[in-house]
Amino acid sequence: MIKRIVIATRNRHKVDEIRAVLGEGYTYLTLSELPGSPKVVEDGDTFVANAVKKAVELARWLHEQGQGPAIVLADDSGLAVDALGGAPGVHSARFAALDRAGSENSSDQENNLKLLRLLANVPYPERKARFRCAIAVAVAGAGPVALTFEGACEGHIRFEARGVKGFGYDPLFQPEGYEASFAELGEEVKNQISHRAKALASVAPRFRSLA
Ligand code: IMP
């Protein structure tokens, strides 16, 4: 039975979220505990492609290092806005930075301002959007294959930012069925309905058979 889960992130929030779903029966490691792990360029056209690339490359590296049996979990997520043809999509983290040279990410505030600017004349019913998350699961030593899982959370882009919790586009995203933004609703609600929570929920049953 494989007892080690390696998560392709440095984000503690993601680890806590994953631990909450998969349980305490495993040792969880992140990239922060794995110096020298490969830096993966997220250049896929889809969230699934990026998640698979991250999971498979990390699984191969772990195997090459002789780092015992491990299950690798990688995720990729972002916002898709209908009125923008699905943008920012896989470019969510660097949406504003796309307008300038270089390959760095842009700040959440810059990204949110760009989104508001592009939607300035779009009425509420046409501001439909969804957060999407893809999770890929690979096993170190099992070759370049991964299982994939997806989750989405439907909503609208508000006319102005509201709330201080969360990160990224949370202040602008109003999930369906709520009169508040993700940044006002906070973690407890978000963990019930978010794209990541839904993708993770579909991982859990398959995971037990894998491990
Ligand atoms: P990643 O999957 O952590 O690389 O996320 C990519 C980008 O998508 C982030 O930098 C955010 O801009 C956006 N994003 C993904 N998930 C969320 C979320 O739950 N709330 C707000 N923004 C998000």
Side-chain angles (χ1 to χ4, degrees), residues 14 76-78 92-93 131 167-170 190 195-196:
K14 286 191 185 171
D76 196 43
S77 57
S92 291
F131 275 120
F167 71 102
Y169 298 93
D170 280 350
K190 208 176 152 184
H195 47 312
R196 220 174 340 270

Side-chain angles (χ1 to χ4, degrees), residues 3-19:
K3 283 292 178 191
R4 248 162 40 114
I5 298 177
V6 179
I7 305 169
T9 187
R10 291 178 200 281
N11 182 335
R12 284 308 311 174
H13 288 292
K14 286 191 185 171
V15 184
D16 292 343
E17 240 179 287
I18 291 167
R19 188 198 301 270

Side-chain angles (χ1 to χ4, degrees), residues 37-203:
S37 61
K39 179 150 179 37
V40 177
V41 181
E42 295 178 35
D43 56 1
D45 290 337
T46 63
F47 299 115
V48 169
N50 281 332
V52 168
K53 188 174 180 192
K54 284 191 265 188
V56 164
E57 288 197 19
L58 185 54
R60 184 176 53 214
W61 181 81
L62 286 166
H63 184 60
E64 281 167 9
Q65 303 294 305
Q67 296 239 11
I71 294 179
V72 177
L73 219 132
D75 83 327
D76 196 43
S77 57
L79 180 70
V81 180
D82 286 353
L84 302 179
V90 290
H91 304 300
S92 291
R94 54 182 189 278
F95 191 35
L98 293 177
D99 303 332
R100 52 181 187 254
S103 59
E104 90 288 16
N105 288 345
S106 20
S107 70
D108 291 342
Q109 196 192 4
E110 275 184 291
N111 291 338
N112 282 331
L113 285 174
K114 179 174 178 182
L115 186 57
L116 283 178
R117 184 162 43 79
L118 292 179
L119 294 176
N121 297 314
V122 179
Y124 195 77
E126 289 164 37
R127 298 170 78 95
K128 272 177 78 69
R130 69 206 50 77
F131 275 120
R132 295 182 57 195
C133 174
I135 294 178
V137 178
V139 177
V145 285
L147 291 175
T148 59
F149 305 86
E150 291 181 83
C153 179
E154 299 287 333
H156 284 82
I157 302 302
R158 299 175 56 95
F159 289 100
E160 78 296 316
R162 285 273 293 274
V164 294
K165 299 170 191 160
F167 71 102
Y169 298 93
D170 280 350
L172 289 180
F173 185 78
Q174 181 160 313
E176 213 138 82
Y178 292 83
E179 289 299 322
S181 74
F182 258 173
E184 292 175 294
L185 290 168
E187 217 160 278
E188 208 174 310
V189 175
K190 208 176 152 184
N191 284 347
Q192 306 287 323
I193 62 171
S194 82
H195 47 312
R196 220 174 340 270
K198 289 179 184 163
L200 267 174
S202 65
V203 172

